[in-house]
Amino acid sequence: MFGQSVLLDQTVQHIGRHLSQDERGNDTWIEDEPVPVANCSVQPLDSAEYLTAAADHIVSRWQFFGPPGMGLKATDLIAVDGEKYEVDGKPGIARSVSPLLTHTTAVLKEFTG
């Protein structure tokens, strides 16, 4: 039932990640194969620019809405419109008395610079 809204018109790539080791024994994130997820929406929240003597970078945050059964975790990535975003914090399931309104929600973060 979820996803019947015209506002949920994006298909994203859900990229699971897990901690493993590279060929030298260093801890590293391993990305799983992307899984397309329809009926999603990624909306801008805020961004901040940080200027220091060593670097200039921007952190932008986005609100994510998706189907309730997608299994999004705090370590995962979402790719949409040519950009890749990290899940920022713990995603949750917003529950409702109507299956139409129950959904996965998370804040996404993009770090540039």
Side-chain angles (χ1 to χ4, degrees):
M1 193 89 181
F2 179 79
Q4 301 302 312
S5 169
V6 295
L7 298 176
L8 301 168
D9 63 347
Q10 292 175 291
T11 296
V12 304
Q13 300 294 316
H14 175 198
I15 305 167
R17 291 193 308 175
H18 60 278
L19 195 57
S20 188
Q21 292 185 338
D22 63 15
E23 60 278 355
R24 294 182 176 157
N26 299 313
D27 289 339
T28 187
W29 287 107
I30 304 297
E31 294 182 9
D32 299 333
E33 287 295 317
V35 176
V37 180
N39 301 317
C40 296
S41 182
V42 178
Q43 300 295 322
L45 286 176
D46 62 12
S47 65
E49 184 174 16
Y50 297 94
L51 302 172
T52 66
D56 177 11
H57 59 272
I58 299 170
V59 176
S60 300
R61 288 187 169 71
W62 303 76
Q63 184 67 50
F64 173 77
F65 303 96
M70 67 181 291
L72 190 64
K73 298 181 305 237
T75 55
D76 293 349
L77 303 171
I78 294 290
V80 61
D81 297 334
E83 300 292 336
K84 196 181 281 188
Y85 305 99
E86 296 179 26
V87 174
D88 189 20
K90 185 178 178 182
I93 302 291
R95 304 209 182 271
S96 174
V97 294
S98 167
L100 179 63
L101 299 177
T102 300
H103 62 279
T104 297
T105 185
V107 174
L108 307 177
K109 177 175 64 175
E110 177 187 36
F111 182 86
T112 56

